[in-house]
Amino acid sequence: MNILGCGSALPTTRHLATSQVVDLRDKLYMIDCGEGTQVQMRRMRIKFSRLNHIFISHLHGDHCFGLPGLISTLGMLGRLGELVIHGPKEVESYMRPVLHLFCKGFPFEVRFNPIDPTKHTLVMEDHSLRVYSIPLKHRIPCCGYLFAEKEKEAHIIREMTDFYNVPIRMMQEIKRGADFVTPEGEVIPNARLTRPAEPPKRYAYCSDTAFHPSIIPFIEGVDLLYHEATFAECDAARAKETFHSTARQAAEIARDAHVKRLMIGHYSARYEQSLVLKQEADTIFPHTIAAEEGMKLEI
Amino acid sequence: MNILGCGSALPTTRHLATSQVVDLRDKLYMIDCGEGTQVQMRRMRIKFSRLNHIFISHLHGDHCFGLPGLISTLGMLGRLGELVIHGPKEVESYMRPVLHLFCKGFPFEVRFNPIDPTKHTLVMEDHSLRVYSIPLKHRIPCCGYLFAEKEKEAHIIREMTDFYNVPIRMMQEIKRGADFVTPEGEVIPNARLTRPAEPPKRYAYCSDTAFHPSIIPFIEGVDLLYHEATFAECDAARAKETFHSTARQAAEIARDAHVKRLMIGHYSARYEQSLVLKQEADTIFPHTIAAEEGMKLEI
């Protein structure tokens, strides 16, 4: 998982506007696309050609003003494959006129997948992954996204399949859990032929949102939770007023949802350092990770 | 004059998309506003509050995709005064829906001043400055801008006005060129009381354009000419095809227009270094300046 930007609305020289890229089995899934995202992709050497899906949380500029530039660049790079933009329906209202003015005659399609940000539903599914929406509580329609990796195939124990002379044509079935029956009729249980795959991973992205414990059932036990922490607890009133969270509130959500790891971000420009927010979260959820531009994290 | 970005359409880690800020008598005039301009303003410590006019050359993304972010930020900073965006009429078609979606209830007006990019006309005038359009030759309607400072008042020679006891109330007239008549009727010629003001400066911005000698009358003798030099002469065919200029062509325009200084920019991503373009221009117009991000230049 790559952090391209983790600042909030006002620009600073410390942070860029929000964007992340999930990298799974050689495919890239972008979440939000603030201004400057395409340049940051170049800096982090993230391949434009591997990106097919962009998930937008809501229609605030610091989460989507990078889309026109990124899509224009994909056009100039000669992209052919469809690009799908998932997000509240307002995303299409924003981007349609822009595409019309700037991207006429492009060699690829931009398809919009409008999603209802008030519901927890399946947004996208491919070979490796299911993505679900997570209803958040913000000033405008806004949702987070849950990335749930699919069950992987078991690993073949080569010594055992050799020993039992398992034919190549049966390997696929065995990877998927089948037992092997020898020509003599002996049943070799699958557990002797395979090692189980790593358990599938889950990543939840929750930005921007007021403190909103209703999301807990959707993110219960995820391997990594990204939760916004725009403010510190001393600015809790401001957080409430603007429908944002404090670092402490993010940590409370993480603790109550029993997530494995918590990462915070979307820092307000008023904080010179994210350390004060990390330390606040740490008191509730130890070893909180403070997102930084350029960070690459194994989930 | 401040260079915020001088790259071309494809993003690189070396250059940002085009934007410049002219700083005259405490007012700022922005020319073009590519993606990332607002962050670059922060980096260069250019004050958002002093900016009242933005001039857009044409509707290609690398010259205007920074507008939505910049205007949103001005709104968050509580700006009150009108912001005027000058440019071909397509600029309004692009920005109106964006303002409608993202900038409702902002405390300031954004006014569009549509200009005909095929004509050389007065675009804007204030106390210090007149700005004229320069018709360029590009794939879409596109114009450059000529910034012509107004005549400044002469400097009073204090020792002389003291000597002749010139009353304070007459100083303004004398600055503007009046002679002084003493109570005894002696005429003191203005030239003895004042030193002439510095001659007013002129700056011409020409990006993007094919080689187009028709612009020469409009930029004749300017103190500084910024002319795009997207390509080197070895890529002249590509320059012609895309309606851009080579460094050599930029220098030929500068030489034939007898400008005092030439600055080149809008470098194609294919060149690792702008030095090759500067050297090519130097053979025709010595001491060409190669624009770089963060550059501040006295005109």
Side-chain angles (χ1 to χ4, degrees), chain A residues 54-288:
Chain A
I54 303 177
F55 300 83
I56 300 293
S57 62
H58 66 303
L59 211 69
H60 277 157
D62 56 324
H63 294 256
C64 62
F65 278 166
L67 281 175
L70 173 59
I71 293 172
S72 300
T73 293
L74 293 177
M76 282 181 279
L77 294 174
R79 181 197 182 85
L80 295 172
E82 178 186 76
L83 178 75
V84 190
I85 302 178
H86 311 265
K89 64 180 190 309
E90 293 82 6
V91 177
E92 183 168 1
S93 317
Y94 159 48
M95 286 301 296
R96 275 276 171 232
V98 173
L99 294 176
H100 179 75
L101 278 167
F102 294 93
C103 306
K104 258 185 214 159
F106 267 25
F108 68 98
E109 280 293 313
V110 177
R111 180 161 66 83
F112 291 91
N113 177 25
I115 60 182
D116 180 347
T118 66
K119 295 208 166 62
H120 175 62
T121 53
L122 180 68
V123 170
M124 191 221 78
E125 179 171 4
D126 65 14
H127 290 304
S128 328
L129 187 72
R130 287 188 189 88
V131 182
Y132 300 89
S133 53
I134 304 170
L136 300 177
K137 186 178 170 183
H138 199 41
R139 302 195 297 277
I140 60 170
C142 180
C143 65
Y145 293 100
L146 175 69
F147 289 76
E149 193 184 10
K150 287 187 179 175
E151 196 79 48
K152 284 175 277 195
E153 290 175 337
H155 300 285
I156 295 287
I157 306 172
R158 191 59 187 269
E159 296 75 29
M160 298 305 282
T161 55
D162 282 356
F163 179 83
Y164 289 108
N165 285 315
V166 178
I168 296 288
R169 63 178 157 79
M170 295 205 58
M171 289 300 183
Q172 209 51 43
E173 269 174 68
I174 286 167
K175 277 187 193 170
R176 288 181 190 139
D179 296 334
F180 175 60
V181 184
T182 64
E184 295 76 29
E186 188 189 356
V187 176
I188 315 297
N190 186 272
R192 294 189 62 184
L193 303 171
T194 64
R195 275 184 298 109
E198 299 78 29
K201 299 288 169 60
R202 289 188 306 145
Y203 170 55
Y205 170 89
C206 297
S207 174
D208 303 1
T209 187
F211 178 64
H212 192 43
S214 320
I215 66 175
I216 290 173
F218 309 131
I219 62 172
E220 180 74 35
V222 295
D223 296 278
L224 179 65
L225 165 67
Y226 171 86
H227 195 291
E228 73 128 292
T230 310
F231 295 103
E233 201 57 27
C234 58
D235 292 312
R238 181 81 186 131
K240 196 169 181 186
E241 190 179 294
T242 56
F243 289 80
H244 282 298
S245 299
T246 66
R248 187 195 169 91
Q249 289 168 339
E252 284 175 3
I253 296 285
R255 179 196 61 195
D256 297 349
H258 312 99
V259 309
K260 300 216 177 78
R261 290 193 293 171
L262 166 66
M263 179 163 57
I264 55 170
H266 202 264
Y267 315 119
S268 161
R270 72 187 61 197
Y271 308 108
E272 288 283 333
Q273 293 198 323
S274 56
L275 188 64
V276 54
L277 298 165
K278 174 188 156 45
Q279 285 171 342
E280 182 176 301
D282 274 344
T283 63
I284 306 288
F285 193 92
H287 310 301
T288 295

Side-chain angles (χ1 to χ4, degrees), chain A residues 9-13 15-16 34-39 42-43 48 59-61 64-70 72-73 76-77 90 93-95 97-98 101-102 269, chain B residues 9-13 15-16 34-39 42-43 48 59-61 64-70 72-73 76-77 90 93-95 97-98 101-102 269:
Chain A
L10 271 181
T12 67
T13 53
H15 294 291
L16 296 169
E35 184 174 353
T37 292
Q38 60 165 336
V39 172
R42 276 276 153 100
R43 268 191 217 116
F48 289 95
L59 211 69
H60 277 157
C64 62
F65 278 166
L67 281 175
L70 173 59
S72 300
T73 293
M76 282 181 279
L77 294 174
E90 293 82 6
S93 317
Y94 159 48
M95 286 301 296
V98 173
L101 278 167
F102 294 93
Chain B
L10 270 181
T12 67
T13 52
H15 293 292
L16 295 170
E35 185 175 352
T37 293
Q38 60 164 337
V39 172
R42 275 275 153 100
R43 269 191 216 114
F48 289 94
L59 211 69
H60 277 157
C64 62
F65 279 166
L67 281 176
L70 174 59
S72 299
T73 293
M76 282 182 278
L77 294 174
E90 294 81 5
S93 317
Y94 159 48
M95 286 301 296
V98 174
L101 277 167
F102 293 94

